[in-house]
Amino acid sequence: MVAIALPITFAFAGMASAATLTSSDGTVTLTTTGTVTAGTPYSSGQTINISVTANTTMNNASLAAAGFPSGAVAIKALECADPNGDLADLPTKSTECQPDTVLSIPGAASDGSMSFTDYTVYALPDTVTFGEPSNGTPVCGTAPNFCVIGLFSNQSDFSKPHIFSAPFQITANADDGGENPGDGTPEVPYAVGLPLAAVAIGGGTLFLRRRKQRAA
Amino acid sequence: MRNRKLRNRFVGAASVCVALLATTLVVAGPASALTVPAYPSIGAYPRWFTANDSVSNIDRAAGSDTTFYMMQQLSDDYNQAGLYGCTLVGSGSGENAFCDHTTGGAPNYSDTTTTDTADNFDSSEELMGENDIGSGNGQQQLCGILPSPQKVDFSRSSKPIASNAGCSTLAEAGYAKDSVPVTDVQDINPAAFGAATGYEGKTFTALNQTFTPPAFPSNGLIGPVAAGWLPGDPTNCVAQGSGGSGPFCSGTPFNDVDGGTGTGASSVAYRLWCATDSTRITDWGQLTNLSAANNGGTAQTVGNGKPIGVPIRIIGVNKGSGTVATFNAFANSGVTGGGCSASPFNSNAASGQNPLSNDGYTGNLEIALENNASQIGDFAGANWPNDPADQAVDIATSLYFEGYGYYNTIPNAGTVQIEPGTGTIPTGVPAAYVVFLTNENGIVPSIANERSNNYPTARTLFNIWNTTAIRASAAGFLNWICDTNPVSGGGGSVTKGKDQLYGGNFDQDITNTIQQYGFSRLTDTSPELTAAKITPADGLVTPNATCSANLSITSTGTATVTDNAGTVPSSIGVGWTVTGDAGAGVPSGTTVVSVSGSTLTLSNAIPSSVTTIFFPGHPPVLSVTDPNS
């Protein structure tokens, strides 16, 4: 298991294009645009694309059952806080999302799939673009203050259908210019990463040597 | 008032209980000390509590529909704070009419531990009027040139002070941002409802039109024209680039509208909404049928495509609305005396079954209230009762505009419904559709683009007062909205109190209320944009910093400036920070050194080009004309 997990979580900084983060249920995928540095957080002001596969939460039947006529309702994407980046801490009320980050589309497809292009992410609270005070809420940026994108049929009413992206991290900058864009994941500190790499390489070498000895 | 007395008795009884609890809980930890706050300053900036201690003064606003609901809620918050206002005179002369500023002694008099001295201490009562709704109407009522059955203390406005307001003594405080995107409907398939017999085979021409368009398809079946459906396409096609699964419409989806002061009479916005001559765009093919193959070998730009026989339906909107004023400024495209340059606007507003005949404002029964696309369905239902197929064509061919905030927060404001009556909607065909927000001049509608004024119809939402008739109670309320809590290294001037009902702080309540309606808050700490950005492409001045105190000044390039209005308000204090428009050259760290008559002395020289200075962290109403009410 460790051998499989290491390459996924063990992202050293490096240039990449179209890096993705997918929610644990496989429904929501965040995709970077342009070239980004792998293993680093998004940069405030960076744009990403959001795609959603067919799902039963936001499909037409679900939205109609929630009271939207014929299931017709604009879908709104908002950036929210997800402390610790785990499912248990996903937002449960509107004050955990930042309304100024809204971007809307006229609705999901009947099967619940949808896409947003060029969604801009911000480290929150954001003073540069939204004029928030430095002690504003919600707070999302770097660990443990992870962010998620919420996709809502009614962002003021969490009893209505909504889904969340995978958690991501984002760093603030002086102008929300998206400088040094990343893939939304934490950069693994070399102090931690190098010893782990040494263990992995050493283990691999040992494994190969023993196999060679066995074969001989 | 009797309730107030009861409440005070209850508070007294509660205090005893608290004292007992404190006694019994002492082993669990230290109890927080309850103290009676000092009696606040009265007759003074920025809260402007009445100088004579009068209470329950009623302030009435008129004007904007866009800001009506938000201001109602802000009023509720403020009124609610007044529940915890001063203790009233309990008997004799002035009973219940004044704060008890006598009983007991300084600094508290008869107030209690729960008295809120930071918010609505004198329990003003804010009322959002709804007479002759619309920003322009509210400004004119405030100036007294438009009748009002009740006095107007301030006006709500989704546009800046208008040149036709009727007086030159108005001042404005912009406390939120919004914008006005154009809407169309891209996901409706009218053919799915059957043949539109009211349209089929008819030729639609407008007054002064010099081309003869083809007839509406003879079978009465069309697809989503705004998505780029052209005759011959499957009627269930989707817009190219929409991300939807095909088949794709062969035409160009109508996703962007160009206009604004730099574009002139040839802009698409002007030709759709304002032109009444031969340049008017009347057919959906002109917007979407642009390919070289369909235009004699030469690809065309938006507005110049080959007609397809499907008429465009312009939805008229309430002429007194600030939303209309904003959008028509954009659509008028800087054309002097253009068709959208003055009220009642709506020169091409559709009326009845034929959208190109009997159009305009006068006598038109299809003039919608602003910010609610659902009325498109109502009009279609009225034009074609019990006829879903023709209603669907009306909806598919309509162009409207509405506020971004309402669209994002009020589901019904963005949803259009077929009203079948005794007609039948085929099984599986949706009855409701969400309108699509277009870009303007290639700019995507977003709050970031509103706050930067990049979106052409970005607008500031204001409260406006008359400097020659501003009561203390109204001034206090307006300043309360603008002022924000102090924070480390900046912020506003007064820390608001606790919302006793919901438990948060009133400053956060204000932010939440503004955002609840999809707007973005401006405060007395919001910086001004550069001079070039204060006016977006629609040509309307759209400032970001008028929630802070500000003065129109004359500078000679020195550290001494002159207040253009005369005597500098005494509220302005030595040490206040001074800023200007971004990039205007007011040195960082500039402060007020002294005030004398009409002269302000600053700590730094400022360029002679600076005409307005701001005092961040201080709300905008610096003086009142009636300190006692």
Side-chain angles (χ1 to χ4, degrees):
Chain A
M1 283 300 287
V2 174
I4 295 169
L6 272 177
I8 296 174
T9 58
F10 205 33
F12 284 111
M15 303 310 282
S17 59
T20 61
L21 283 174
T22 301
S23 57
S24 58
D25 63 359
T27 303
V28 183
T29 298
L30 308 180
T31 306
T32 59
T33 60
T35 301
V36 302
T37 302
T40 65
Y42 294 144
S43 171
S44 196
Q46 182 179 342
T47 58
I48 60 174
N49 294 330
I50 307 166
S51 60
V52 180
T53 59
N55 66 88
T56 56
T57 303
M58 305 294 278
N59 67 9
N60 187 266
S62 172
L63 294 172
F68 300 107
S70 297
V73 63
I75 304 299
K76 282 76 64 175
L78 281 83
E79 195 173 312
C80 309
D82 178 21
N84 304 310
D86 53 34
L87 291 173
D89 291 312
L90 283 171
T92 56
K93 54 184 184 293
S94 59
T95 52
E96 294 172 86
C97 299
Q98 166 45 291
D100 287 351
T101 62
V102 66
L103 188 68
S104 54
I105 58 172
S110 59
D111 64 2
S113 63
M114 67 186 100
S115 63
F116 293 75
T117 56
D118 292 335
Y119 181 85
T120 305
V121 290
Y122 298 91
L124 301 175
D126 179 275
T127 302
V128 178
T129 300
F130 301 128
E132 291 185 90
S134 55
N135 61 351
T137 56
V139 177
C140 85
T142 53
N145 298 312
F146 287 83
C147 315
V148 290
I149 305 291
L151 304 170
F152 298 93
S153 55
N154 184 345
Q155 66 273 35
S156 298
D157 183 355
F158 274 50
S159 72
K160 302 294 185 185
H162 59 278
I163 51 178
F164 291 105
S165 74
F168 59 87
Q169 298 189 53
I170 180 166
T171 52
N173 53 56
D175 60 357
D176 284 343
E179 300 91 343
N180 305 313
D183 64 0
T185 63
E187 183 171 15
V188 177
Y190 284 101
V192 175
L194 286 177
L196 285 172
V199 170
I201 293 167
T205 305
L206 188 62
F207 172 76
L208 290 173
R209 188 177 297 164
R210 286 187 175 166
R211 195 169 66 171
K212 197 180 288 180
Q213 285 171 347
R214 239 182 271 131
Chain B
M1 293 305 163
R2 194 166 296 281
N3 287 341
R4 164 59 63 81
K5 290 177 186 173
L6 283 172
R7 184 179 71 77
N8 288 339
R9 287 169 189 151
F10 176 78
V11 167
S15 300
V16 173
C17 293
V18 167
L20 289 171
L21 275 174
T23 304
T24 57
L25 292 178
V26 69
V27 292
S32 59
L34 286 172
T35 58
V36 181
Y39 203 88
S41 297
I42 58 175
Y45 175 89
R47 287 294 185 255
W48 292 119
F49 299 135
T50 50
N52 65 350
D53 290 307
S54 65
V55 299
S56 296
N57 292 284
I58 299 173
D59 302 310
R60 181 174 176 274
S64 166
D65 163 79
T66 298
T67 65
F68 178 74
Y69 304 101
M70 168 175 59
M71 283 296 295
Q72 271 191 319
Q73 194 163 329
L74 290 173
S75 299
D76 285 349
D77 289 340
Y78 195 64
N79 295 341
Q80 180 185 315
L83 289 170
Y84 293 84
C86 67
T87 298
L88 304 179
V89 171
S91 62
S93 174
E95 181 178 3
N96 290 339
F98 295 91
C99 295
D100 184 353
H101 202 163
T102 305
T103 307
N108 312 115
Y109 300 95
S110 64
D111 287 340
T112 71
T113 56
T114 61
T115 300
D116 179 350
T117 58
D119 297 291
N120 189 4
F121 177 73
D122 50 10
S123 303
S124 297
E125 299 172 12
E126 306 303 320
L127 170 65
M128 291 302 106
E130 53 195 15
N131 179 256
D132 204 5
I133 205 82
S135 299
N137 299 337
Q139 291 184 29
Q140 292 186 343
Q141 289 186 325
L142 185 61
C143 282
I145 68 165
L146 193 65
S148 173
Q150 303 291 336
K151 186 173 180 295
V152 175
D153 291 294
F154 65 94
S155 74
R156 306 181 304 267
S157 188
S158 62
K159 67 178 182 181
I161 296 167
S163 58
N164 66 350
C167 57
S168 59
T169 52
L170 300 185
E172 62 191 20
Y175 62 97
K177 297 290 282 194
D178 190 29
S179 59
V180 188
V182 170
T183 72
D184 58 28
V185 182
Q186 298 202 353
D187 62 348
I188 188 170
N189 174 9
F193 293 85
T197 55
Y199 278 92
E200 65 184 14
K202 289 189 171 64
T203 300
F204 295 90
T205 56
L207 192 68
N208 300 322
Q209 188 169 297
T210 55
F211 66 89
T212 301
F216 194 90
S218 59
N219 60 3
L221 302 176
I222 65 169
V225 287
W229 175 88
L230 298 177
D233 288 344
T235 59
N236 64 343
C237 66
V238 299
Q240 297 177 33
S242 66
S245 55
F248 292 109
C249 303
S250 64
T252 304
F254 189 55
N255 293 343
D256 182 74
V257 184
D258 76 302
T261 54
T263 56
S266 63
S267 77
V268 168
Y270 187 87
R271 293 175 61 200
L272 280 166
W273 275 272
C274 313
T276 54
D277 59 13
S278 62
T279 64
R280 177 180 172 185
I281 298 170
T282 59
D283 187 287
W284 271 97
Q286 292 176 276
L287 300 174
T288 63
N289 190 16
L290 310 177
S291 70
N294 290 350
N295 286 277
T298 303
Q300 297 296 313
T301 55
V302 176
N304 301 305
K306 185 177 180 181
I308 59 173
V310 180
I312 295 167
R313 178 174 291 272
I314 299 290
I315 302 297
V317 187
N318 166 27
K319 67 182 173 68
S321 157
T323 303
V324 172
T326 298
F327 182 75
N328 279 273
F330 170 72
N332 200 54
S333 302
V335 178
T336 303
C340 294
S341 60
S343 180
F345 311 110
N346 294 297
S347 57
N348 292 338
S351 169
Q353 295 181 346
N354 184 335
L356 303 182
S357 67
N358 298 317
D359 52 353
Y361 182 79
T362 305
N364 192 340
L365 300 179
E366 295 185 13
I367 300 297
L369 205 61
E370 56 271 33
N371 302 317
N372 193 338
S374 71
Q375 296 161 100
I376 298 171
D378 297 339
F379 294 161
N383 287 336
W384 309 99
N386 310 314
D387 181 357
D390 281 296
Q391 290 179 33
V393 172
D394 271 25
I395 291 169
T397 57
S398 290
L399 291 177
Y400 180 64
F401 52 84
E402 70 174 300
Y404 185 64
Y406 274 24
Y407 176 87
N408 280 324
T409 55
I410 302 175
N412 189 56
T415 304
V416 185
Q417 293 196 60
I418 300 285
E419 298 175 359
T422 58
T424 302
I425 297 176
T427 302
V429 177
Y433 300 87
V434 178
V435 298
F436 174 90
L437 302 182
T438 70
N439 297 346
E440 290 175 350
N441 295 354
I443 307 294
V444 176
S446 72
I447 285 176
N449 285 332
E450 290 173 351
R451 294 184 71 98
S452 65
N453 283 350
N454 283 336
Y455 198 71
T457 54
R459 59 177 174 173
T460 299
L461 306 179
F462 299 95
N463 286 316
I464 294 176
W465 71 97
N466 191 335
T467 56
T468 62
I470 177 70
R471 303 164 66 203
S473 50
F477 178 51
L478 300 185
N479 279 352
W480 182 78
I481 293 172
C482 283
D483 196 15
T484 190
N485 284 352
V487 294
S488 175
S493 54
V494 179
T495 299
K496 292 185 175 67
K498 179 183 176 183
D499 176 344
Q500 299 285 4
L501 184 62
Y502 295 108
N505 184 272
F506 276 115
D507 196 53
Q508 188 63 50
D509 283 0
I510 294 172
T511 301
N512 292 346
T513 295
I514 290 171
Q515 291 181 328
Q516 179 183 335
Y517 292 96
F519 308 127
S520 182
R521 187 182 179 191
L522 299 172
T523 70
D524 57 358
T525 64
S526 298
E528 192 50 275
L529 300 166
T530 64
K533 296 298 290 186
I534 290 175
T535 305
D538 63 10
L540 296 176
V541 176
T542 306
N544 279 7
T546 55
C547 234
S548 60
N550 58 87
L551 287 181
S552 171
I553 55 107
T554 298
S555 169
T556 58
T558 69
T560 301
V561 301
T562 305
D563 182 353
N564 291 338
T567 303
V568 176
S570 58
S571 305
I572 294 177
V574 169
W576 283 17
T577 298
V578 177
T579 63
D581 297 347
V586 175
S588 176
T590 298
T591 59
V592 175
V593 173
S594 65
V595 178
S596 176
S598 63
T599 300
L600 269 174
T601 301
L602 310 177
S603 60
N604 293 305
I606 63 174
S608 58
S609 56
V610 173
T611 57
T612 303
I613 55 175
F614 303 95
F615 304 99
H618 303 281
V621 188
L622 290 164
S623 57
V624 300
T625 57
D626 184 355
N628 291 328
S629 73

